[in-house]
Amino acid sequence: MTIQWSSEDKKWMAKTFDLAVTNEGHTNPNPMVGAIIVNDQQIVGQGCTQPYSLAHAEQQALQQAGNSAQGATLYVNWEPCMPYPEKNTPSCAMNIIDSGIARVVIAASDPHPNVNGQGIQALRDAGIDVDVGLMKAEALQLNEISYIYHTENRPFICLKWAMTLDGKIATHTGDSKWISNEASRTYAHQLRHRYATILVGVNTVIEDNPSLNVRHQNGKDPVRIVLDSQGRIPLSSRLLYLKSDAPTIIATTNAMPLPIEKTLTQSGSQVWRLPDVDGHVDLKALLQKMKSENLDSVLVEGGGEVHWSFLQQQLFDKAICFVAPKVAGGQAQSPVGGSGVNLMRDALELKNISYQTFGDDLCITGYRTAFLK
């Protein structure tokens, strides 16, 4: 049955999204949720998910509403949670039932195995009127990280690069500063804040000596991961000595010499020894290790061979490409290396394409699958 949403429903649900992004980048691995309680066309309570392990949006809204929650409508962009087996605390769904809320409007169900429709069913079983699906596509996109994290049982993977109009990520001499403009770089640092981790290959560290932190805006640094199968990372690299709450992790194999590992750990870095595939870190093993550490997302910033490794194995969900109106020419690096496809009909075609401009730069975003529809 198709629900006929009222203009009031649409107005209040849209406001939950404004609340949800309040703590963007700080709720991982929890989703970003906003909740609004409306009684007699007035907001009587509202909230947003706090940093991980703190209050959920619905709990904040209910506490603020108090007795005004009786007979009211709750709008929330993500399904209220159920009790977790390992936690002896009330769930949002149970709190809602106890509050006297009469109606709940939910944008999208939560694929977390402890929820996954159970919150919706519990509310309905308690006699609450529950409507689901208002702004569902927007809800899935807002919480695409959480959605993939639970449906694919691995971190959400976004590939990001900047290139010239002729597809170069550096000149033939290796110079790459700067391809994109300042506005594009500011947005790129907003992305770093949003993702739990940022990943590059050791060649990028050797060539660029990056910091891989958030500098162009206020925000938390992501955990830094370097793919370094043989222990080639320069021990003077900036990212080994950053003052940051987020650690640097060197993902390697048994080919890394033990003295190198010892030096890295003494510098404060973590070393993850993982299985290899043809001498390179097994990406699937890396993603499972990240999942076990509650790292729900990774922003892959290259280089070209690293991007190809993820693309070749279909291990990505999203790609973001900044195109600057510059032409470098020559035999320079491209953002995706590897052997490539033989025929154009085999080329990867992204879905759900969107476009933004940052000054003269064009930013193209696309997805591996059309899960947002």
Side-chain angles (χ1 to χ4, degrees):
M1 181 181 73
T2 302
I3 300 172
Q4 297 300 315
W5 304 105
S6 70
S7 59
E8 288 292 298
D9 287 337
K10 295 175 183 178
K11 178 180 74 172
W12 298 125
M13 183 60 80
K15 288 183 178 295
T16 70
F17 285 79
D18 295 334
L19 287 169
V21 297
T22 302
N23 289 313
E24 183 178 29
H26 293 286
T27 67
N28 313 62
N30 283 342
M32 292 182 288
V33 182
I36 291 177
I37 298 173
V38 177
N39 203 336
D40 196 22
Q41 299 184 340
Q42 298 293 321
I43 295 177
V44 296
Q46 61 184 15
C48 61
T49 299
Q50 297 301 297
Y52 183 63
S53 81
L54 299 179
H56 289 191
E58 301 94 322
Q59 294 168 342
Q60 286 187 306
L62 289 168
Q63 184 177 19
Q64 191 178 114
N67 292 333
S68 296
Q70 289 281 339
T73 297
L74 167 67
Y75 294 88
V76 62
N77 64 294
W78 210 243
E79 180 181 3
C81 67
M82 289 292 285
Y84 283 57
E86 66 275 14
K87 295 181 180 179
N88 188 26
T89 56
S91 71
C92 291
M94 297 301 107
N95 288 337
I96 293 166
I97 291 169
D98 293 340
S99 71
I101 289 282
R103 180 182 179 228
V104 179
V105 181
I106 301 168
S109 60
D110 184 349
H112 191 292
N114 288 334
V115 189
N116 199 22
Q118 296 179 73
I120 294 168
Q121 191 59 50
L123 297 174
R124 286 174 172 160
D125 289 345
I128 297 173
D129 183 14
V130 181
D131 293 321
V132 183
L134 176 59
M135 297 182 69
K136 177 182 177 181
E138 292 88 340
L140 290 177
Q141 186 160 33
L142 179 69
N143 281 315
E144 59 192 17
I145 287 176
S146 185
Y147 179 84
I148 291 295
Y149 186 60
H150 294 300
T151 58
E152 299 289 334
N153 197 35
R154 59 159 173 76
F156 183 93
I157 305 165
C158 178
L159 311 182
K160 193 273 291 182
W161 63 81
M163 68 181 191
T164 62
L165 200 60
D166 57 335
K168 310 296 185 183
I169 61 172
T171 67
H172 71 93
T173 65
D175 180 57
S176 61
K177 292 182 174 53
W178 293 101
I179 293 173
S180 56
N181 61 32
E182 186 174 352
S184 293
R185 296 197 299 275
T186 298
Y187 178 66
H189 280 252
Q190 292 174 5
L191 291 174
R192 289 183 178 183
H193 165 67
R194 175 71 183 89
Y195 287 84
T197 68
I198 181 171
L199 180 147
V200 298
V202 68
N203 286 335
T204 295
V205 178
I206 293 170
E207 294 166 7
D208 297 339
N209 195 17
S211 296
L212 303 181
N213 58 0
V214 174
R215 299 185 300 280
H216 290 272
Q217 67 149 35
N218 292 324
K220 70 173 182 62
D221 289 337
V223 172
R224 296 164 294 278
I225 300 177
V226 179
L227 290 178
D228 183 11
S229 302
Q230 298 180 344
R232 296 192 297 123
I233 186 169
L235 299 179
S236 59
S237 299
R238 285 196 193 101
L239 51 78
L240 298 180
Y241 302 97
L242 286 177
K243 294 181 179 179
S244 173
D245 292 334
T248 294
I249 297 169
I250 312 301
T252 189
T253 69
N254 285 331
M256 173 183 279
L258 289 174
I260 297 295
E261 178 180 359
K262 182 178 179 180
T263 302
L264 290 170
T265 55
Q266 287 176 342
S267 75
S269 300
Q270 298 178 24
V271 175
W272 289 357
R273 286 189 182 265
L274 299 165
D276 74 283
V277 176
D278 297 328
H280 299 285
V281 171
D282 183 341
L283 295 182
K284 292 181 180 178
L286 171 62
L287 294 171
Q288 286 307 304
K289 174 65 174 176
M290 291 172 62
K291 181 77 162 50
S292 72
E293 297 290 332
N294 286 329
L295 298 171
D296 66 1
S297 52
V298 55
L299 182 66
V300 181
E301 292 199 0
E305 295 302 315
V306 170
H307 282 150
W308 173 249
S309 296
F310 279 91
L311 288 164
Q312 186 183 36
Q313 297 181 56
Q314 293 284 299
L315 289 176
F316 80 103
D317 303 291
K318 187 176 184 177
I320 300 176
C321 173
F322 296 88
V323 183
K326 302 175 181 179
V327 178
Q331 298 297 314
Q333 301 176 50
S334 70
V336 180
S339 58
V341 298
N342 293 326
L343 301 173
M344 189 56 67
R345 68 181 181 218
D346 297 326
L348 179 71
E349 186 171 356
L350 299 177
K351 311 290 193 284
N352 290 1
I353 303 299
S354 61
Y355 305 91
Q356 292 173 271
T357 55
F358 296 94
D360 292 332
D361 290 354
L362 174 65
C363 178
I364 305 170
T365 300
Y367 293 83
R368 179 173 61 89
T369 62
F371 74 90
L372 297 176
K373 292 184 179 180

